[in-house]
């Protein structure tokens, strides 16, 4: 056990970087998903088509290729990002594109009668969206959003390929030094799983809180 615990410090250092990349990417992905998902539903072409292009490009191409483009190709055009910033940008954009479809589906899932009632009450479209549609849609968004956050966490392993010393990168270095492949990657699995459980717990807590608030309003 003592030998096993000696492997933890460098892995925990890598986990801190993984959590930083995950958190930064989530902070970028959430507003992007909401904005692109709503614009995707717009009747105004100048708003809808850029949203469609963003969603389809980032969903239809490899996250790894996107990462290499931002980190290795953009500098050829004079646009350079630090490695960790490039990782956050790419993972945030990638997850935001998938999240936009979650937002679109949840908004479309709100009963048409709710909108018709809002029109009858002379509510503006923005007021209807903010006070009636989004509060109901958020509850439907949370479970798939939790899945996307966990997928984002797992995709952070890609950033090890652009020299970021995340959990996977640290594990590879440690394995090269000690050749203790089974113990090292066993610990890595446990650490990823523990973080995924935390994300799942946080999403379920939000679901319960929203359900209680809806119950109180009812």
């Amino acid at each position: 056990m003592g030998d096993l615990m000696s492997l933890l410090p460098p892995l925990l250092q890598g986990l801190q970087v993984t959590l930083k990349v995950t958190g930064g990417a989530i902070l970028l992905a959430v507003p992007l998903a909401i904005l692109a998902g709503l614009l995707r539903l717009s009747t105004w072409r100048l708003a809808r088509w850029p949203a469609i292009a963003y969603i389809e490009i980032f969903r239809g191409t490899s996250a790894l290729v996107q990462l290499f483009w931002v980190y290795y190709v953009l500098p050829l055009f004079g646009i350079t990002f630090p490695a960790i910033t490039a990782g956050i940008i790419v993972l945030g954009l990638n997850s935001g594109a998938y999240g936009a479809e979650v937002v679109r589906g949840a908004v479309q899932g709100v009963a048409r009668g709710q909108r018709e009632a809002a029109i009858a009450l002379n509510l503006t479209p923005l007021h209807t969206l903010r006070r009636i549609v989004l509060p109901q849609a958020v509850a439907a968004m949370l479970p798939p959003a939790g899945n996307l956050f966990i997928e984002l966490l797992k995709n952070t392993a890609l950033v090890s390929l652009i020299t970021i010393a995340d959990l996977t990168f640290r594990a590879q270095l440690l394995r090269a030094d000690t050749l203790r492949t089974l113990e090292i990657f066993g610990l890595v699995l446990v650490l990823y799983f523990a973080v995924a459980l935390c994300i799942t717990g946080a999403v379920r807590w939000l679901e319960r809180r929203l359900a209680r608030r809806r119950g109180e309003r009812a």
Side-chain angles (χ1 to χ4, degrees):
M1 177 63 76
D3 288 343
L4 191 62
M5 295 302 292
S6 68
L7 299 173
L8 270 178
L11 293 179
L12 291 177
Q13 290 176 356
L15 180 61
Q16 291 178 1
V17 177
T18 292
L19 293 176
K20 183 177 181 180
V21 173
T22 302
I26 287 174
L27 289 176
L28 176 61
V30 170
L32 276 176
I34 294 171
L35 179 62
L38 294 177
L39 290 179
R40 176 72 175 79
L41 296 170
S42 175
T43 56
W44 188 32
R45 287 185 180 181
L46 289 179
R48 186 172 71 251
W49 283 108
I52 293 173
Y54 158 63
I55 292 168
E56 296 306 325
I57 289 171
F58 278 90
R59 289 201 313 154
T61 57
S62 165
L64 179 58
V65 175
Q66 295 164 16
L67 188 63
F68 284 170
W69 255 88
V70 170
Y71 191 65
Y72 292 116
V73 178
L74 288 186
L76 300 177
F77 300 94
I79 305 172
T80 304
F81 296 103
I84 195 165
T85 302
I88 289 172
I89 290 172
V90 169
L91 293 178
L93 288 169
N94 188 271
S95 294
Y98 284 94
E101 289 298 281
V102 171
V103 172
R104 181 180 66 84
V107 169
Q108 287 182 323
V110 176
R112 182 178 295 273
Q114 300 280 341
R115 297 184 181 86
E116 293 174 350
I119 292 173
L121 293 171
N122 291 324
L123 296 181
T124 65
L126 182 60
H127 199 181
T128 300
L129 178 67
R130 186 171 62 88
R131 298 297 300 273
I132 296 175
V133 176
L134 281 182
Q136 296 178 71
V138 166
M141 293 177 201
L142 282 177
N147 292 334
L148 284 178
F149 293 157
I150 292 173
E151 193 65 27
L152 170 57
L153 167 68
K154 293 186 290 185
N155 282 341
T156 57
L158 296 175
V159 303
S160 65
L161 299 175
I162 58 170
T163 72
I164 297 177
D166 72 321
L167 179 56
T168 300
F169 187 88
R170 293 279 186 175
Q172 291 169 339
L173 291 180
L174 198 57
R175 184 197 63 80
D177 287 340
T178 65
L179 300 179
R180 298 173 65 183
T181 304
L182 177 61
E183 297 97 321
I184 291 168
F185 285 101
L187 285 171
V188 169
L189 284 176
V190 170
L191 291 173
Y192 274 118
F193 182 62
V195 177
L197 282 180
C198 291
I199 292 173
T200 300
V203 171
R204 288 179 178 170
W205 176 80
L206 283 173
E207 289 182 62
R208 290 193 298 270
R209 182 163 182 175
L210 283 175
R212 284 198 302 269
R213 290 181 68 177
R214 290 199 305 271
E216 290 171 359
R217 289 176 180 176

